[in-house]
Amino acid sequence: MRKAADGDCRRAKGQPDRLGHFINGLGRGGAGALLFGIPMLMTMEMWSLGFYIARERLLVLLIALLPLLVLLARRIGFERVSSWREAGRDAIVAYGIGISASAIVLLTLGLITGHMSAHEIVGKIAIQSAPASIGAMLGRSQLANRTGDGSGETEIETSYGGELLLMATGALFLSLNIAPTDEIMVLVYKMTLWHILAVALLSMALMHGFVYAVSFTGGHELSAGTPAWHAFVRFTLPGYVVALAVSFAALWIFERLDDRSALETLSCMIVLGFPAAIGAAAARLIL
Amino acid sequence: MTRTTEGRHRERHDPHWIEWRTGCISALLVTAMIGWIAYEAVTRQETPPELVVTAGRSEAVAGGYRVPFEISNRAPTTAANVMIIGRLAENGRTIEESQVLLDYVAAESRSAGALLFAENPAGRTLDIRPVGYTDP
């Protein structure tokens, strides 16, 4: 989808066009941040998390987000990027859009007021900026009009590690939406271990089905002669492990695992792993 | 590696050994996880919640005294709406009662909270215990 020649061509047209293009990208980023961030911005648990979340866990979230954003930028940046440096720039811009969009919406909804401590305000905005910045990045790819660049050789290769990181991003996005709510805990309390087991198997089946069996645009095909179980072992199983790891991280960040036995922790991971697995599979389709 | 052409992705036929290595480790992890849960599901007895409260040391706070406590549930079932009552008694007569409602005490897990009293618990008998719960 990306061509080096495309960038050169645009550069030749001069500054005003580049600026317009960039502002266009910013607008799409803002729209994406709102579109993908609104569910979390309007979740009650997220408002209170802003002041009680442990700062070191928030820091982990904010730092872990950066490499994921850079990778996303590399795939679907605001402009067609050809170097990691440009991807880094796009990632920071998306982060900035995420922070601004969160701040504006929280202010408008009356969730940030003058008598709150700076600690609380910063916490609230910071935690919302994570999904909003992923949304800002996705806005570029999902809201862009794709006309005018369909010609020519459009082939990219994603390394295996990149593919797993993409899955992690998709998993993180959906986990972030669901981990802070109480529903995960309530579900775990109500479910028996047999239910948990069924959810684990269903997650893996859906992950594999989404990417290989169902013929979505962006679905993956196997080269002729490759048995189906190859893809299951090489992509779906590692993808599910990535989804579970991300779900563990999200639960840890939102302090859902403190003082819990190992089996309870695993149950929580698997229940949150269900949306995470769907997010991971969707990331492979969409991006 | 995955090759993307015109929006279609195609898995490469000649994977790097690291893909198989990762795949095998993942398969092991997933099998172990499923095996463990299945084992627990078969062997575990669904006993009712077993709640044990341990009270901490009381300390003076603004307007009274605070007694932190920890409640643990050893059973594999979760208790919801756990009501905890603390009775402060002197010479066999209850002089103050405080209570708190915990949303959940998860299976095989601990929760913590605190009861607040106006009278000083030091030197008096304090009894903190769960008085009831609902199934989640």
Side-chain angles (χ1 to χ4, degrees), chain A residues 155-158 163 189-190 212 216 218 220-221 223 226 233-235 238 259-261 263-264 270 284, chain B residues 1-5 7-13 19 23 26 37 44 78 104 106-110 136:
Chain A
E155 181 166 305
I156 50 168
E157 274 202 340
T158 314
E163 196 76 26
Y189 298 151
K190 283 179 177 293
Y212 295 102
F216 287 128
H220 287 232
E221 292 162 354
S223 306
T226 315
V233 173
R234 272 164 52 205
F235 289 97
D259 292 330
R260 241 163 247 284
S261 71
L263 193 66
E264 282 280 308
I270 290 174
R284 292 190 71 196
Chain B
M1 258 190 203
T2 305
R3 193 187 292 268
T4 308
T5 314
R8 301 295 300 172
H9 310 282
R10 182 178 287 275
E11 254 63 281
R12 290 277 294 267
H13 188 49
E19 302 190 12
S26 308
I37 293 183
R44 201 160 82 160
T78 297
Y104 292 102
E108 294 170 344
S109 304
R110 286 174 297 159

Side-chain angles (χ1 to χ4, degrees), chain B residues 51-54 67 69-72 81-87 97-105 111-115 117 127-133:
Chain B
L51 302 170
V52 180
V53 174
T54 31
V67 182
F69 66 85
E70 205 179 74
I71 179 166
S72 64
N81 296 314
V82 181
M83 173 67 87
I84 293 182
I85 292 187
R87 280 197 189 84
E97 203 176 271
S98 291
Q99 58 185 40
V100 66
L101 185 68
L102 296 175
D103 282 348
Y104 292 102
V105 181
S111 265
L115 286 169
F117 293 96
D127 176 38
I128 300 182
R129 55 196 200 86
V131 291
Y133 62 86

